[in-house]
Amino acid sequence: MDNQQLHILQVGNVLVSPDIFTEKFCCDLEACKGICCIEGDAGAPVTMDEIADIEDVLDDVWADMAASAQSVVDKQGVAYADQEGDLVTSIVHGKDCVFTCYENGTCLCCLERAFRQGRTKFVKPISCALYPIREKNFGNNLYGINYHKWKICKDAVKKGRELNLPLYKFLEGPLKRRFGEEWYQELLDIAAELKKEGLIDV
């Protein structure tokens, strides 16, 4: 679909990029091996509340973390302010998130793994769950979300196209977690209208 005909849409207090409706995406962990957790030049964006949540479960995941990651956390804590002044998770070697762990050559999040194993109540920062959607806070209770294109996610784009799965459907759970059930239903209603008008295909 040609999203040139689409403009930024407002859903509640969130400005939504048309890419959220038109782009296809589905993480393919077998293909990418979780590379998004170990590439980049900064950690994952976190809120003050999330930092507190991570600190609460730190003892539960400490043994899952690499020694180098433990050393970084000992020195600077679970998060730091990046060059833009935003709070992000601490990283090792200038790129790896301190909460990465490995299973059979695949990089996983030890926070999420502990949650899935029933050891903790905190899954992972919402910015990680929402990726490749990125959120921006414009102030005055106005937010924006857009699709962050990254070449390392080419396998996810390929799989998403094969499944014909748009971003807004792939990330249903995280979008509900961040903005609520009612907001997501409004997003679905708008998507249905766009489909009826022939502006999106699914």
Side-chain angles (χ1 to χ4, degrees), residues 30-67:
E30 285 184 18
C32 73
K33 306 296 184 187
I35 195 170
C36 63
C37 295
I38 52 175
E39 285 299 328
D41 55 9
V46 283
T47 64
M48 289 298 291
D49 286 344
E50 287 175 331
I51 290 172
D53 288 334
I54 292 170
E55 287 172 344
D56 284 344
V57 301
L58 193 56
D59 287 345
D60 299 293
V61 301
W62 189 256
D64 300 330
M65 295 164 58

Side-chain angles (χ1 to χ4, degrees), residues 8 52 63 75 80 115 146 160 169-170 180 186:
I8 298 287
K75 286 176 186 168
Y80 70 102
F115 173 82
N146 70 298
K169 288 186 178 178
F170 171 63
E186 191 178 337

Side-chain angles (χ1 to χ4, degrees), residues 40-171:
D41 55 9
V46 283
T47 64
M48 289 298 291
D49 286 344
E50 287 175 331
I51 290 172
D53 288 334
I54 292 170
E55 287 172 344
D56 284 344
V57 301
L58 193 56
D59 287 345
D60 299 293
V61 301
W62 189 256
D64 300 330
M65 295 164 58
S68 53
Q70 292 172 345
S71 176
V72 168
V73 171
D74 274 337
K75 286 176 186 168
Q76 70 175 40
V78 299
Y80 70 102
D82 67 8
Q83 290 181 331
E84 281 85 46
D86 297 321
L87 291 170
V88 293
T89 56
S90 292
I91 54 175
V92 187
H93 309 311
K95 59 178 189 171
D96 302 17
C97 175
V98 290
F99 297 109
T100 54
C101 59
Y102 290 85
E103 274 184 21
N104 304 317
T106 297
C107 178
L108 300 175
C109 171
C110 63
L111 295 171
E112 183 174 13
R113 186 171 69 171
F115 173 82
R116 292 188 183 281
Q117 291 172 345
R119 293 191 282 134
T120 63
K121 298 291 186 189
F122 176 74
V123 54
K124 62 182 174 183
I126 190 62
S127 68
C128 301
L130 279 173
Y131 196 79
I133 286 180
R134 285 261 176 91
E135 178 187 336
K136 184 171 178 61
N137 185 345
F138 293 111
N140 295 319
N141 199 33
L142 182 65
Y143 301 88
I145 56 173
N146 70 298
Y147 169 43
H148 179 248
K149 296 181 182 179
W150 198 3
K151 63 183 179 182
I152 66 169
C153 291
K154 64 183 187 299
D155 294 308
V157 172
K158 181 184 174 191
K159 187 174 180 181
R161 287 173 180 169
E162 287 170 355
L163 297 171
N164 199 26
L165 185 64
L167 262 174
Y168 76 93
K169 288 186 178 178
F170 171 63
L171 290 172

